[in-house]
Amino acid sequence: MRNPFKTFSFQVTFFASFIIISALLISVLGITSYYIVNQEVVDQTISSRRLLLDEINKQLDLQLQSVEYDSLVLASNPKLINYLQQSEDSFERVGQNSDMIDLLSRLSYVKEGIHSVQLYAKDTSVNIHIGGNGVYDDRLLTKSVWFNDIKDADYCWVGTHTIEVGSYPAGDRTVVSFARKVLSASGKQVGVLVVNVKMPFIQKIASSSATDVNRFILDTRGRLIAQFYGGPDNPASYASMMNKLAAILDQPGSEHSAIANLGEKSLVIWNKQERTLWVTMDIIPWKDITKGSRRIENIILAAAVLCILLAIIMAYLLSRQFVVPIRKLIHTMNVMKIGKLNVQIANDYHNEFGHLNENFNQMTTRIDTLMLQVNEQNRRKREAEIQILQEQINPHFLYNTLDMMNWHAIESGAHDISRMLSLLGKMLRIGLSSGATFIPVGKEIEHLQCYMELQKIRYRQNVAFSISVPEEMMHYYTPKLIIQPFVENSLLHGLHSRNEGIVRISGWEEEQTIYFSIEDNGVGMDPGAALPRRDHNGIRNVHERIQLYFGERYGVDIDSEPDKGTTIRLSLPKILTEAPLITEGENDDQGGNRG
């Protein structure tokens, strides 16, 4: 996949990146805010519900204690115990039936929450009661679904059930009961006393602020005592959730709250009574808890959309601000590409764009200047080449003529003339070099030696020559005929008025450069006139050729004083090929080994 930053335009990339980054930041901020708010709502709900359940448990426990105490007082009543110990047909018991019903009914009359009090007696065949209060046959109890609960205990609470005796409307039959065995003085069970508590009374206590929840009251063994529905219209029954709720309650280290899937995602909160260990449990649908959070979510979403719209506007404006100077720079570069090198950008920026524009303007000015310099160098080079062409002579004609003159000199016995003609022919061959511009240093030294030998014949040993060039330098290449003009200048101008003199030629190399020195002990010259004049065309030609080929870093240095001689130093780059690639107007810092 290609890098989009290298594919699309800067404006598109900047715009898209700004929008994406802004959207990510806004999304992260919105999601984080929603999560924190939602978690805070859940924590507040759990905290408030636990306080509410704790208060409900306290109120419920007070009522339960009251019922348990009243049942204990009633079951310990000697009159009631004596009644149960008598035969059903005895005169004394029959006479006490009315008093016993009054005794059992009194509690339901006095206590608001008591529905009825039932006494289940053994060996009783006739049920005597007013409403639900009265004495009943013990066999009715054995048929009850909760008989096993009281069978093995002295007392117990019985969960929500319907009274099976008494003529009550259907809505008034649902109760929660407390059953206690009635024991004789000898400890023998003589009956069972059941106190029925009105379900509306329990609901009044337990369903406080429970209009939006499903609330269950469970005993110590997880059996349902009472349940109230204030949530959905079709709530799930306790039986369908019993196993899941039991597993939640059995979790170690729980904080009396959990999130569970009970047909739908719900929050389960419970509190346990300290005395009876009963559990009051609320099940709140998660959607009801997050109802307020959803409103906040909508607000955050609206704010996020607004922020993204603002980000789009800002991204568009900023991208334009960034793209305009770049497009202007690109347009100017395109104009420059078609040949208008002196083009300039109107620069009113003082930042990075201003720096770019300023550097571009300086670059175009510099290029224009360099083009003028290159044109001037090309002109000078062409002039030098034309001058060289004008000075060249047909080599075959020259060689044949010199050869003919050499044979005539030999036939005439003019051996010096013959030798001079032979040396001159060798010099011309090296000088012409079949049109090559660069020759090895060894050939340049050979050409110089031929010239020196000619001068020795001419000056009759009055001028001494010394050549000291290391053998390692002989394989480098150099422009041809760059040393001989300086030796010739020493003979013509430095030593012409001396009876004798010496000319020393030496060479050495450094890291990237080779040097030649031509030193004489002639009359010298004024330092102000050290650089070549028009009458020193050979010296000027060498200096200009070196700088045209290699740049201003290289060339000719002249050190001279009147009556102390002259020292010429040539500097050239190391060249290892016969035909080096030379660039006109080459920078001064170029050089070194070339190939």
Side-chain angles (χ1 to χ4, degrees):
M1 182 177 179
R2 298 182 62 184
N3 189 339
F5 290 96
K6 297 180 180 180
T7 304
F8 301 104
S9 67
F10 179 81
Q11 185 172 10
V12 172
T13 304
F14 182 89
F15 183 81
S17 301
F18 191 90
I19 294 302
I20 291 173
I21 293 173
S22 300
L24 287 176
L25 291 177
I26 293 170
S27 299
V28 170
L29 181 61
I31 293 172
T32 303
S33 301
Y34 175 74
Y35 174 80
I36 292 174
V37 171
N38 190 62
Q39 189 62 39
E40 186 66 23
V41 170
V42 172
D43 292 342
Q44 290 292 337
T45 301
I46 293 173
S47 177
S48 61
R49 288 291 173 177
R50 287 194 60 189
L51 291 175
L52 178 61
L53 293 179
D54 184 61
E55 184 62 28
I56 290 173
N57 280 339
K58 289 180 180 179
Q59 295 296 326
L60 190 59
D61 189 48
L62 288 175
Q63 298 301 324
L64 296 179
Q65 288 186 60
S66 176
V67 171
E68 292 173 8
Y69 177 77
D70 291 338
S71 68
L72 178 61
V73 171
L74 194 57
S76 302
N77 191 313
K79 186 176 180 180
L80 185 143
I81 295 173
N82 181 57
Y83 175 82
L84 293 175
Q85 289 177 334
Q86 296 175 12
S87 172
E88 180 185 16
D89 298 330
S90 65
F91 175 80
E92 185 176 0
R93 178 170 175 172
V94 173
Q96 292 178 351
N97 283 337
S98 179
D99 294 339
M100 188 55 56
I101 291 174
D102 290 341
L103 177 63
L104 295 175
S105 302
R106 189 177 303 145
L107 191 60
S108 62
Y109 296 153
V110 175
K111 297 289 185 177
E112 176 189 1
I114 303 301
H115 178 279
S116 59
V117 179
Q118 299 171 337
L119 180 62
Y120 291 89
K122 293 181 178 296
D123 302 326
T124 299
S125 59
V126 179
N127 298 326
I128 305 171
H129 60 87
I130 298 177
N133 299 301
V135 181
Y136 298 91
D137 185 358
D138 183 68
R139 287 172 296 182
L140 293 176
L141 182 63
T142 59
K143 297 177 182 179
S144 175
V145 294
W146 50 270
F147 174 72
N148 289 332
D149 295 338
I150 191 60
K151 180 180 178 181
D152 299 324
D154 291 337
Y155 56 86
C156 71
W157 278 95
V158 180
T160 305
H161 64 284
T162 303
I163 296 178
E164 300 175 356
V165 295
S167 55
Y168 295 99
D172 294 337
R173 286 180 177 271
T174 304
V175 294
V176 175
S177 303
F178 180 77
R180 182 188 293 275
K181 290 180 179 178
V182 180
L183 304 177
S184 64
S186 61
K188 180 182 178 181
Q189 178 181 343
V190 292
V192 176
L193 182 67
V194 178
V195 180
N196 298 313
V197 182
K198 299 176 182 178
M199 181 54 65
F201 181 74
I202 297 294
Q203 187 173 7
K204 181 180 178 181
I205 298 173
S207 65
S208 174
S209 301
T211 57
D212 58 343
V213 300
N214 298 326
R215 182 166 294 161
F216 302 100
I217 300 177
L218 311 177
D219 65 9
T220 55
R221 289 188 289 179
R223 295 174 300 184
L224 182 65
I225 298 297
Q227 59 184 352
F228 311 99
Y229 297 108
D233 296 335
N234 298 310
S237 63
Y238 176 76
S240 65
M241 300 183 292
M242 182 171 61
N243 294 332
K244 292 182 179 179
L245 293 177
I248 293 173
L249 293 175
D250 291 340
Q251 288 179 355
S254 62
E255 296 293 335
H256 299 282
S257 63
I259 299 174
N261 186 6
L262 304 173
E264 63 176 344
K265 186 178 181 181
S266 303
L267 176 63
V268 182
I269 308 170
W270 66 90
N271 200 309
K272 185 177 291 187
Q273 294 182 17
E274 295 181 0
R275 186 182 66 86
T276 63
L277 300 182
W278 282 14
V279 174
T280 304
M281 177 183 293
D282 277 357
I283 299 178
I284 310 173
W286 190 259
K287 61 183 181 181
D288 293 340
I289 295 176
T290 58
K291 186 183 300 182
S293 300
R294 285 197 297 272
R295 288 196 297 269
I296 296 175
E297 178 186 7
N298 294 333
I299 295 174
I300 293 175
L301 182 61
V305 171
L306 180 60
C307 290
I308 291 176
L309 291 176
L310 291 176
I312 292 174
I313 296 173
M314 290 299 298
Y316 176 76
L317 295 177
L318 287 176
S319 63
R320 279 187 56 83
Q321 290 298 318
F322 278 101
V323 167
V324 166
I326 294 177
R327 286 180 175 172
K328 184 185 295 184
L329 180 60
I330 293 173
H331 173 73
T332 308
M333 292 176 68
N334 290 331
V335 172
M336 179 182 174
K337 185 169 63 176
I338 63 177
K340 297 182 179 180
L341 302 181
N342 59 347
V343 65
Q344 296 282 297
I345 300 177
N347 185 22
D348 56 353
Y349 289 89
H350 302 282
N351 50 18
E352 288 80 359
F353 291 121
H355 184 68
L356 285 173
N357 294 339
E358 181 65 26
N359 286 345
F360 179 83
N361 290 338
Q362 293 178 1
M363 180 190 68
T364 55
T365 302
R366 177 63 175 163
I367 290 175
D368 191 49
T369 302
L370 290 175
M371 289 296 295
L372 294 175
Q373 293 178 356
V374 168
N375 292 334
E376 176 64 20
Q377 289 176 351
N378 288 336
R379 185 188 62 79
R380 291 165 58 191
K381 184 176 180 180
R382 286 194 298 271
E383 289 178 354
E385 291 174 347
I386 291 172
Q387 184 177 355
I388 292 174
L389 290 174
Q390 290 175 346
E391 295 174 355
Q392 287 182 343
I393 304 173
N394 189 310
H396 297 288
F397 169 77
L398 183 61
Y399 295 156
N400 293 334
T401 303
L402 289 175
D403 186 61
M404 182 182 65
M405 294 173 65
N406 186 28
W407 281 109
H408 279 292
I410 293 173
E411 291 175 354
S412 302
H415 297 290
D416 286 345
I417 295 175
S418 175
R419 178 60 179 165
M420 293 175 69
L421 290 172
S422 177
L423 292 172
L424 179 60
K426 185 181 291 187
M427 287 179 62
L428 288 174
R429 285 185 176 89
I430 295 174
L432 294 175
S433 300
S434 299
T437 304
F438 290 80
I439 61 174
V441 173
K443 286 291 184 180
E444 179 73 12
I445 298 301
E446 183 181 354
H447 178 274
L448 181 62
Q449 288 173 338
C450 292
Y451 177 76
M452 289 179 175
E453 188 172 348
L454 281 173
Q455 298 304 320
K456 286 180 181 178
I457 296 173
R458 174 188 176 188
Y459 288 101
R460 302 293 180 181
Q461 303 297 329
N462 289 333
V463 177
F465 296 95
S466 171
I467 299 178
S468 177
V469 178
E471 187 66 28
E472 294 79 5
M473 292 179 57
M474 296 301 181
H475 65 283
Y476 295 126
Y477 279 80
T478 178
K480 62 185 178 183
L481 305 183
I482 62 170
I483 301 177
Q484 183 269 336
F486 294 100
V487 175
E488 180 180 358
N489 190 68
S490 295
L491 295 174
L492 295 178
H493 300 286
L495 301 173
H496 69 285
S497 61
R498 298 287 179 96
N499 293 327
E500 59 182 18
I502 185 171
V503 179
R504 297 185 181 89
I505 296 94
S506 59
W508 70 95
E509 61 178 307
E510 293 182 355
E511 183 176 355
Q512 300 291 339
T513 309
I514 60 175
Y515 297 94
F516 294 100
S517 174
I518 301 94
E519 181 180 358
D520 66 58
N521 58 351
V523 297
M525 67 180 76
D526 185 1
L531 287 179
R533 302 185 303 270
R534 282 296 175 186
D535 56 345
H536 296 161
N537 285 332
I539 298 176
R540 177 180 291 276
N541 181 280
V542 171
H543 180 71
E544 290 183 354
R545 278 194 295 148
I546 292 176
Q547 291 203 337
L548 282 172
Y549 288 134
F550 309 118
E552 296 182 358
R553 177 179 177 180
Y554 305 98
V556 178
D557 291 324
I558 301 176
D559 183 15
S560 181
E561 293 185 21
D563 299 325
K564 291 186 178 182
T566 302
T567 299
I568 308 294
R569 190 183 73 169
L570 308 180
S571 59
L572 302 102
K574 292 181 179 180
I575 302 174
L576 299 175
T577 60
E578 183 176 357
L581 179 62
I582 303 301
T583 303
E584 297 177 4
E586 189 173 17
N587 290 337
D588 291 348
D589 59 349
Q590 294 177 338
N593 295 344
R594 299 167 183 245

